[in-house]
Amino acid sequence: MLLLSGEDVEKVLSMEDAIDVMEDAFRKYATGEYEMPTRVFSKVKGEDDYALMPCFVDEYIGLKVVTSYPSNYARKNPVTQGVILLNDRETGDPLALIEGTILTAIKTAAVSGVAVRHLKPEAKTIGLVGTGIQGIYQLMAAEAETEVETIYLYNRSPEKINGFIREYKELTSSTAQMIGMEDVHELINKSDVIITATTSVDPVLPNEEAIYNGKLIVGVGSYKSNMRELPEKLFRSAEQYIIDSEQGKVECGDIMDPLENKWISEKDVVLLSDILCGNQELVRSNPSSPLIFKSVSMALFDAMIGAFVYTKAKEQGIGTTFNM
Amino acid sequence: MLLLSGEDVEKVLSMEDAIDVMEDAFRKYATGEYEMPTRVFSKVKGEDDYALMPCFVDEYIGLKVVTSYPSNYARKNPVTQGVILLNDRETGDPLALIEGTILTAIKTAAVSGVAVRHLKPEAKTIGLVGTGIQGIYQLMAAEAETEVETIYLYNRSPEKINGFIREYKELTSSTAQMIGMEDVHELINKSDVIITATTSVDPVLPNEEAIYNGKLIVGVGSYKSNMRELPEKLFRSAEQYIIDSEQGKVECGDIMDPLENKWISEKDVVLLSDILCGNQELVRSNPSSPLIFKSVSMALFDAMIGAFVYTKAKEQGIGTTFNM
């Protein structure tokens, strides 16, 4: 069995490759070349959850085991921790155990990268709302697909922004100018792509209509039914709402609320996978209407990125072999 | 994270301890001190399955990931392969990855050991039908709880018996006499406890009534709805049918068929856990009527044995630490 740490994952997985793998995953999602057994999602205590996300794809059985423990805020432990276990689909043999926290952050960003690649490759400015660890990888993905010149940053706690900029510059070779913003309106005004990467339960973008025209909004933070990052009027001003998975319609507040309240009609909620494969047209009757992409992810993405990392690591002789 | 190989498991886990842990698990099952999310059970291809069995118990989240690949017979790979992943219930931290195949064999035998301890501790003779790897551990468990003098062995392919005896003597310090039998009737006649450890889809014991009087029958092999080891008339001659878990009633042919066909009434199908805790009386209106115990196992057992092995290994400094 091959063991891959977070460091190993970062060694073998470039953001460019990760985006390509996720594009491939979207195409597999459209054509149905995978099997995803029902996932297990269980409350352990209070708000602390445990999830099992299995998927059979290509020659692999991928399983993400993830704990999401908001109670860890208090003890300065990571809130989300995960591992990916890979088995051989043909023989059942356990193949690899892969650190899942960094891999998930890269994968989540790579999913946004696919959206930016196809929906706003001409972007020169990016606005990021929420400057946590996920924000770092989101910017890496956006930069991989565009010629970004300026990045605007907003955080509820503005004192965190300078540390974020230092960290981002250390981790990447980005030459983009990075500017902290005190007013989120100004960030929206100046940005071609706006990424929200928070765990907010109330919209973090202003509930106004005209300000989003001509922009791509990428929502990545909310994943539960009680979470919301995007405001009503954004949906009302869009022609389509592009999402990554059907599952989001029943589990994510940022998709459930707009549908329930008819801020957007069901037929206009479309899958990015269908757009990529030509099963669905990207409607732009008004070329300045905003584009919205929302991802909630799924086991297929985790299995495919896990399998890619495993294959690359074997090729490059990276990782630790453990004889079970 | 602590990694424990099959060899590590054998170092830290004695059969005696395993039986004690399983008795503790039965008591927890009776009192409800655990949470078992619905397990995932998926067909991968043909008869090849993949199962995820999670359980929250004590300070742990235990997950058994198990592949059951009958197609591996042809390639001489193990049919059943598994790992156990342990997380900290309080913090979510991944704690350990434990080889699950040997651990499962020991656990399954230890469950039988609890039955022998409480239902037939006076046994002097054991009959084993099916001399595969599971049979080895079943005999170890039976010997741990009794003063066995003679072990009778039966296999459809009698040429396998001598090899089994050699292996058993090498692995254990057993002084019992071991005798291969050509006729399963004779094995039953001579044995106080009869253990069936096959994957048969048709009963491996004779469909006769009187021959089981005074004996304990332990069925461990069948775990799917199409599997059957025990014959109709055995059930008709018993006063109760003792099983290890409610789940068995909907997934195991050896429990489903007797209930559906009314070979035994629903009220007489009782849980060993309830007998151990005094919630259920062990009925013996006829002291010579046979006792039947059937186990199908459950995630609670895997989680508890995994947690025990992890604790012991940490105490004894056994295993490999891997920094995720």
Side-chain angles (χ1 to χ4, degrees), chain B residues 14-35:
Chain B
S14 71
M15 187 54 81
E16 289 72 13
D17 280 349
I19 296 171
D20 288 342
V21 174
M22 286 304 98
E23 174 143 357
D24 190 19
F26 273 113
R27 291 179 194 280
K28 283 207 159 62
Y29 187 53
T31 53
E33 300 161 78
Y34 65 93
E35 275 181 70

Side-chain angles (χ1 to χ4, degrees), chain B residues 157-187:
Chain B
S157 315
E159 69 280 6
K160 291 189 177 162
I161 287 177
N162 281 337
F164 180 88
I165 293 174
R166 267 197 309 277
E167 200 179 342
Y168 189 69
K169 292 291 186 187
E170 267 170 38
L171 282 170
T172 68
S173 54
S174 171
T175 56
Q177 197 185 0
M178 298 181 81
I179 304 172
M181 308 298 276
E182 289 189 5
D183 179 4
V184 73
H185 284 87
E186 209 185 335
L187 175 142

Side-chain angles (χ1 to χ4, degrees), chain A residues 238-307:
Chain A
E239 295 184 68
Q240 281 176 320
Y241 185 15
I242 305 165
I243 63 175
D244 68 340
S245 85
E246 279 292 335
Q247 187 62 18
K249 291 183 185 170
V250 295
E251 65 188 32
C252 169
D254 263 323
I255 305 175
M256 294 161 73
D257 289 4
L259 277 169
E260 257 170 48
N261 296 309
K262 303 197 191 308
W263 301 335
I264 192 146
S265 77
E266 177 120 30
K267 73 165 178 33
D268 295 325
V269 180
V270 299
L271 293 169
L272 181 58
S273 48
D274 284 339
I275 291 174
L276 296 187
C277 290
N279 301 338
Q280 173 75 51
E281 202 193 344
L282 184 65
V283 177
R284 303 301 298 276
S285 59
N286 172 1
S288 81
S289 63
L291 290 169
I292 322 174
F293 174 68
K294 166 68 200 155
S295 73
V296 296
S297 196
M298 59 179 129
L300 171 62
F301 293 166
D302 295 301
M304 284 195 65
I305 201 84

Side-chain angles (χ1 to χ4, degrees), chain A residues 1 3-8 35 37-40 42-45 48 50 52-56 61-63 65 67 69 71-72 75 77-79 81-83 85 87-94 97-100 320 322-324, chain B residues 1 3-8 35 37-40 42-45 48 50 52-56 61-63 65 67 69 71-72 75 77-79 81-83 85 87-94 97-100 320 322-324:
Chain A
M1 194 168 197
L3 306 169
L4 296 169
S5 67
E7 234 170 82
D8 295 332
E35 275 182 68
T38 311
R39 65 185 208 171
V40 174
S42 285
K43 180 174 295 256
V44 180
K45 58 187 166 63
D48 299 343
Y50 177 75
L52 301 176
M53 301 168 66
C55 183
F56 313 155
I61 299 172
L63 170 70
V65 181
T67 52
Y69 271 54
S71 70
N72 277 354
R75 59 170 75 87
N77 231 27
V79 169
Q81 297 188 87
V83 297
L85 182 72
N87 287 68
D88 187 305
R89 194 174 180 182
E90 183 57 29
T91 65
D93 295 347
L97 184 77
I98 310 171
E99 198 280 340
T320 307
F322 180 70
N323 196 345
M324 272 281 170
Chain B
M1 196 167 195
L3 307 168
L4 297 169
S5 68
E7 234 171 80
D8 295 333
E35 275 181 70
T38 311
R39 64 186 209 170
V40 173
S42 284
K43 180 174 297 254
V44 180
K45 57 188 167 64
D48 298 343
Y50 177 73
L52 302 175
M53 301 167 66
C55 182
F56 313 154
I61 299 173
L63 169 70
V65 180
T67 52
Y69 271 55
S71 70
N72 277 354
R75 61 169 73 88
N77 231 28
V79 170
Q81 299 188 87
V83 296
L85 181 72
N87 287 68
D88 187 306
R89 194 175 180 181
E90 182 57 30
T91 65
D93 296 347
L97 184 77
I98 310 171
E99 198 278 342
T320 306
F322 180 70
N323 197 344
M324 271 282 168

Side-chain angles (χ1 to χ4, degrees), chain A residues 56-118:
Chain A
F56 313 155
V57 65
D58 299 331
E59 306 94 72
Y60 302 97
I61 299 172
L63 170 70
K64 183 153 91 166
V65 181
V66 59
T67 52
S68 173
Y69 271 54
S71 70
N72 277 354
Y73 279 122
R75 59 170 75 87
K76 306 210 179 288
N77 231 27
V79 169
T80 304
Q81 297 188 87
V83 297
I84 287 180
L85 182 72
L86 222 57
N87 287 68
D88 187 305
R89 194 174 180 182
E90 183 57 29
T91 65
D93 295 347
L95 296 175
L97 184 77
I98 310 171
E99 198 280 340
T101 310
I102 286 167
L103 189 58
T104 299
I106 298 175
K107 173 215 70 180
T108 306
V111 167
S112 302
V114 177
V116 172
R117 172 183 289 179
H118 291 278

Side-chain angles (χ1 to χ4, degrees), chain A residues 206-213 233-234 236-237 290:
Chain A
N207 193 25
E208 295 167 32
E209 224 152 297
I211 60 173
Y212 301 107
N213 280 353
K233 288 188 178 164
L234 169 62
R236 292 202 183 275
S237 60

Side-chain angles (χ1 to χ4, degrees), chain A residues 212-232:
Chain A
Y212 301 107
N213 280 353
K215 299 175 189 299
L216 168 64
I217 317 297
V218 176
V220 302
S222 63
Y223 58 93
K224 289 190 194 176
S225 59
N226 66 332
M227 291 177 168
R228 277 281 307 285
E229 294 191 288
L230 308 179
E232 174 181 346

